[in-house]
Amino acid sequence: MPTEPLSQKEIEDRLRELPGWSQEGDRIARAYRLPSHFAATAMVVHIAQIQEELNHHSDLTLGYNTLALSVNSHDAGGAVTEQDFQLAQRVEQIAPGHGAR
């Protein structure tokens, strides 16, 4: 069963609960700065583990000491859903442990 898209108001309300996250077109996104390339790479691996657990995957862009993440739900026609916010919240929980800001 496909996930239902969130309304624009629901997206805006949920984004207020996630500082640093924003809506970019049909996605929610966030960029992080980390202390080193190794820390950024470790965070990518940790996010990949979470994505496998949730069976929900984002686009990740790894830089030298940066990591950008954007996500939407393909099974909802590329719209933002509750699943995207679940992933974002999980990433926020692990980010401090990697030194992300």
Side-chain angles (χ1 to χ4, degrees):
M1 172 189 259
T3 306
E4 291 298 315
L6 297 176
S7 71
Q8 186 60 40
K9 179 169 180 357
E10 289 172 315
I11 294 168
E12 291 167 3
D13 289 346
R14 296 295 307 272
L15 284 171
R16 281 193 269 286
E17 300 168 12
L18 289 170
W21 286 81
S22 62
Q23 186 173 12
E24 295 181 3
D26 62 352
R27 302 174 151 272
I28 59 170
R30 165 116 196 230
Y32 296 93
R33 181 167 299 280
L34 291 104
S36 67
H37 182 67
F38 186 82
T41 303
M43 188 165 163
V44 167
V45 172
H46 200 165
I47 291 170
Q49 179 183 20
I50 291 167
Q51 291 177 146
E52 287 298 305
E53 289 171 15
L54 296 176
N55 192 29
H56 191 60
H57 302 83
S58 65
D59 290 334
L60 297 170
T61 304
L62 175 64
Y64 169 70
N65 66 339
T66 60
L67 173 60
L69 180 142
S70 68
V71 64
N72 64 8
S73 295
H74 300 289
D75 63 348
V80 176
T81 68
E82 178 62 31
Q83 230 178 354
D84 302 311
F85 281 98
Q86 289 174 3
L87 176 59
Q89 289 170 332
R90 292 280 303 273
V91 171
E92 283 298 300
Q93 290 171 353
I94 64 142
H98 291 279
R101 52 186 158 90

